[in-house]
Amino acid sequence: MAERMAAHTMSLTARMVIGLTALLLVGGAALSVAALIYGRTAARDAFDRLLVGAAASIAASVSVEDGTPVVDLPVSAFELLALAPDDRVAYRVTGPGGGLLTGYADLPAGPAPERAGTVFYDAPFGTEPARYVRTSRLFAERSFSGRVEITVGQTRRARTELAWDITRRALIVLGILGGAVLIMAVVVIRTALSPLDQLARTLSARDPQDLDRLDTRVPREVAAMVEAMNGFMARLDRQLASMRTLISDSAHQLRTPVAALRAQADLAAGATDDRQRAQLVGRIHARTIGLGRLLDQMLARARVAHRADAVRRARIDLRDIALDVVESGDHTLVAPGAELRLEIGEDPVAVRGDALSLREAVSNLVANALIHGVPPVRIGTDLAKGARIWVEDQGPGIPPALRDRLGDRFLGATGSRGASSGLGLAIASEMARSFGGRLWVEDRPDAFRIGLAFPQDPA
């Protein structure tokens, strides 16, 4: 079956480039508006100075002869305005009473001056928009006294063209700079994302069985992803280890009882004595029960190992676990007629864990106590050293020589009710470690106690 390829979405580089391009476009639009405003302002100021210069030249050319103001228009005034050859120029000079001395009589008067000085205003000149400046010159002579007003106007073609030219030049510069920034940004983004490519190459070159941690010397933004991958590989490694252990243990532990069953079945098939055949059938039956218990415990151990990483931890009251174990009645199958007493208090004994795994572990502790201990067997909870659940019997308990190996697989023993596979304590110990706890034993007066201790959940 062809390997399914991962679905590709837009690359990080493309996303960042698109985002940066959008940012540059928005910024470019804002700068374009700013450039247009600046161009119009600069063109207006430049041509306004020309208008002021022309009006000042005309004002300087006004003189008084025989008590009458006379205007001798200077050529220099119109040479300044000739810098815009496509524009039309208009002027007007009026005396104190508003009488026309020279120029166009029908020029727009503009706003009424609030005070003497230079005034700019916009008004049409014929059918075209134009810009005007109005200034005045005060005469206080014996033969003539009063103010002469000079108005000079010019159409706005040149200043509009200058404004657009400034804007175009600014946009060209902005476009070149924006393109350069975008190219450099792509290079920088690719360089910044190179650790991801290196990580991909490292994973591709790895052996499928190599689940060691990845190197976390990566940029901070990538470190979270690397840590998540390391956590995933650690969980996968534990699951694979559990599977390998289960397969190895199954092959190791099932070979002998299966061979024994086959041998006894062969003997039973060839037996001619009914009494001997009945004994062999009884042995086969006992072996079958033991083999079934071994398979149950091996599967329980595999299930506990799997749930340690796969199941979300919940708040659990250990008193409920003890009550479930007693009410399930499974202990009657291990030791029919045996007494199992329940001793729990009124205060909650809360932990974070998996209820099914806890019940499996505690059931194995109870089964060990019933097989190897001396009744009555008690199960209880307390808060003596963390949150604890324990099983107690009246026997001597585990020999001191074996306590250092507590929790090892197949550390079997023979009790009054038969031999054990040695997996019960291994299941309990592994489950306790998976949820941050431990397996503990305690010698008490005339009793032996074994249990699981976990950090208490204060919530």
Side-chain angles (χ1 to χ4, degrees):
M1 180 178 178
E3 183 179 355
R4 183 179 179 182
M5 300 297 292
H8 292 289
T9 59
M10 187 179 296
S11 68
L12 292 178
T13 301
R15 295 184 184 191
M16 297 178 73
V17 169
I18 290 174
L20 183 59
T21 302
L23 183 62
L24 288 176
L25 289 176
V26 172
L31 290 176
S32 299
V33 174
L36 178 60
I37 294 174
Y38 170 76
R40 294 178 62 180
T41 302
R44 183 192 63 193
D45 292 343
F47 281 92
D48 282 354
R49 290 190 181 95
L50 295 179
L51 285 176
V52 170
S57 297
I58 294 174
S61 68
V62 178
S63 61
V64 178
E65 296 181 1
D66 299 329
T68 302
V70 178
V71 182
D72 184 11
L73 291 176
V75 177
S76 60
F78 297 99
E79 287 178 346
L80 292 174
L81 299 178
L83 295 174
D86 294 333
D87 282 318
R88 297 168 58 193
V89 179
Y91 65 93
R92 181 178 63 191
V93 181
T94 58
L100 181 66
L101 299 180
T102 184
Y104 293 83
D106 57 348
L107 288 185
E114 298 179 359
R115 66 180 186 277
T118 301
V119 177
F120 291 96
Y121 59 94
D122 295 316
F125 179 38
T127 58
E128 295 185 65
R131 179 77 166 171
Y132 295 89
V133 63
R134 185 176 62 218
T135 186
S136 62
R137 179 180 177 184
L138 180 63
F139 288 89
E141 298 183 7
R142 182 177 301 175
S143 60
F144 178 79
S145 178
R147 188 179 298 276
V148 176
E149 288 191 350
I150 300 94
T151 302
V152 179
Q154 185 182 32
T155 56
R156 301 173 59 176
R157 296 178 185 176
R159 66 177 64 208
T160 302
E161 181 62 30
L162 178 59
W164 282 112
D165 185 60
I166 293 174
T167 304
R168 280 194 299 270
R169 293 175 184 271
L171 290 179
I172 291 172
V173 174
L174 287 175
I176 294 174
L177 291 178
V181 168
L182 193 59
I183 293 173
M184 290 187 293
V186 172
V187 175
V188 171
I189 291 170
R190 291 302 305 162
T191 303
L193 295 179
S194 60
L196 294 178
D197 296 332
Q198 179 62 36
L199 181 61
R201 288 192 295 270
T202 301
L203 288 174
S204 299
R206 273 200 168 195
D207 186 90
Q209 303 298 323
D210 185 3
L211 295 176
D212 292 337
R213 288 178 58 85
L214 294 169
D215 186 7
T216 55
R217 291 177 297 177
V218 294
R220 182 176 56 188
E221 293 78 7
V222 184
M225 181 179 68
V226 173
E227 282 299 325
M229 295 177 65
N230 284 334
F232 172 77
M233 289 193 297
R235 294 193 301 272
L236 183 60
D237 190 36
R238 288 194 294 270
Q239 295 295 324
L240 291 176
S242 298
M243 292 175 58
R244 286 192 293 265
T245 301
L246 177 62
I247 294 172
S248 175
D249 291 347
S250 300
H252 179 266
Q253 293 298 316
L254 296 180
R255 184 182 296 112
T256 300
V258 169
L261 278 173
R262 183 170 56 190
Q264 291 175 355
D266 290 340
L267 290 174
T272 57
D273 186 1
D274 292 340
R275 185 169 175 268
Q276 183 184 12
R277 184 183 294 110
Q279 290 179 346
L280 289 172
V281 170
R283 292 177 184 174
I284 292 174
H285 180 264
R287 284 278 187 177
T288 304
I289 293 175
L291 182 59
R293 185 179 301 122
L294 174 62
L295 287 173
D296 288 342
Q297 288 192 317
M298 293 179 68
L299 292 175
R301 181 175 177 273
R303 183 167 59 249
V304 168
H306 168 73
R307 291 179 70 87
D309 286 325
V311 177
R312 184 182 297 275
R313 302 182 182 189
R315 179 179 169 85
I316 300 169
D317 192 340
L318 293 181
R319 298 180 304 166
D320 295 334
I321 300 299
L323 185 61
D324 289 345
V325 171
V326 174
E327 291 183 343
S328 67
D330 292 343
H331 59 282
T332 59
L333 302 176
V334 178
E339 182 182 5
L340 180 60
R341 299 176 181 175
L342 179 66
E343 295 186 7
I344 56 177
E346 296 182 358
D347 296 328
V349 185
V351 298
R352 285 281 171 178
D354 172 43
L356 179 62
S357 299
L358 278 168
R359 282 195 295 270
E360 193 74 48
V362 175
S363 295
N364 278 279
L365 295 181
V366 171
N368 279 345
L370 292 171
I371 294 173
H372 304 291
V374 178
V377 176
R378 300 188 301 161
I379 178 173
T381 60
D382 61 49
L383 293 169
K385 296 179 180 179
R388 306 196 307 177
I389 185 168
W390 47 263
V391 177
E392 181 182 284
D393 68 84
Q394 308 306 307
I398 299 174
L402 298 180
R403 293 188 183 183
D404 292 339
R405 300 171 58 194
L406 199 65
D408 287 357
R409 304 193 315 277
F410 307 113
L411 187 62
T414 302
S416 60
R417 301 182 185 274
S420 71
S421 63
L423 278 175
L425 295 183
I427 292 172
S429 178
E430 186 168 348
M431 190 281 303
R433 288 195 304 269
S434 298
F435 295 101
R438 60 185 177 85
L439 179 69
W440 56 274
V441 295
E442 180 183 356
D443 291 311
R444 301 174 65 84
D446 300 326
F448 172 77
R449 181 175 288 185
I450 184 169
L452 306 172
F454 301 93
Q456 184 180 3
D457 184 10

